[in-house]
Amino acid sequence: MKIEDSVVFVTGANRGLGLEFARQALQRGARKVYAGARDPASVTLPGVVPVKLDVTDPAAVAAAADAARDVTLLINNAGIARVGSLMDDGALDALRDHFETNVFGILALSRAFAGGLAANGGGAILNVLSVASWVNRPILSAYGVSKSAAWALTNGLRQSLREQRTQVVALHAGFIDTELVRGFEVPKATPADVVRQAYEAIEAGAEEVSTDDFTRQVKAGLSGGNYLNDTAPR
């Protein structure tokens, strides 16, 4: 599908990667861009339609889908990432929190918007995932588990929505220069480059896109035994 003339809904669109998704959608000629955020007042990008949205609140999700029935592209960008190991105190609660946003949030939005996408010709859903879908280190263990689950969820949604001609795209990236990883002293991609590649993948009809060399190497090595353990960032 083309971004030009599309109607885009971005979750977590008030800052970081979500803000860049909204900005580039406008630049690429989207007819309308909805910007979902817990606090609509925090959405300051001119030209978008702010929508109050907490992806973990079923009533808020239903209300957002009802208010944006013309959507042709849903971008599930909202997510959380908390530092910690699966052996830390509170790991179970942390994992539940990650799943509520990073997994169940994606599923709730996708289910809520699926009918509208079908009515509007099929459209597309893009889920923001991570290289952590495939590698896991103690610094972000719960996050990695949730992204692995979100990858499986994305693959399942793709099969479930194929009959209604909805394109479902998985976006995998390493560290991106946003507030989410501000304290990490590691190489980071720019939000602008990641979003550019995401939109190009959607327009090319792709089902999956990896936005940097390391992520592409990890994906290529999925069947390589100890490859992932040897190359995962520490």
Side-chain angles (χ1 to χ4, degrees), residues 93-156:
D93 288 337
L95 189 58
R96 290 187 184 99
D97 288 345
H98 279 83
F99 265 67
E100 284 295 330
T101 298
N102 298 353
V103 182
F104 298 131
I106 289 177
L107 179 59
L109 265 293
S110 299
R111 284 171 55 88
F113 278 87
L117 291 172
N120 296 325
I125 297 172
L126 180 131
N127 294 337
V128 177
L129 305 180
S130 171
V131 67
S133 303
W134 306 314
V135 294
N136 194 303
R137 288 292 173 185
I139 192 172
L140 288 169
S141 280
Y143 173 79
V145 173
S146 73
K147 289 299 183 179
S148 294
W151 182 40
L153 172 65
T154 301
N155 294 331

Side-chain angles (χ1 to χ4, degrees), residues 46-92:
V48 301
V49 180
V51 178
K52 182 177 177 61
L53 176 64
D54 176 351
V55 301
T56 68
D57 180 350
V61 170
D66 186 60
R69 297 184 183 184
D70 52 348
V71 166
T72 59
L73 171 58
L74 170 65
I75 297 177
N76 284 313
N77 164 75
I80 63 170
R82 296 176 185 164
V83 173
S85 162
L86 296 176
M87 294 296 102
D88 291 347
D89 291 341
L92 289 176

Side-chain angles (χ1 to χ4, degrees), residues 164-210:
Q164 71 173 46
R165 296 186 297 120
T166 297
Q167 177 189 2
V168 179
V169 185
L171 172 67
H172 296 277
F175 289 107
I176 305 170
D177 192 10
T178 67
E179 292 181 19
L180 201 66
V181 294
R182 178 162 291 172
F184 290 75
E185 295 298 327
V186 295
K188 301 171 187 175
T190 65
D193 186 55
V194 171
V195 171
R196 175 188 60 79
Q197 292 186 61
Y199 281 139
E200 288 177 355
I202 292 170
E203 293 194 329
E207 294 186 339
E208 195 161 81
V209 56
S210 297

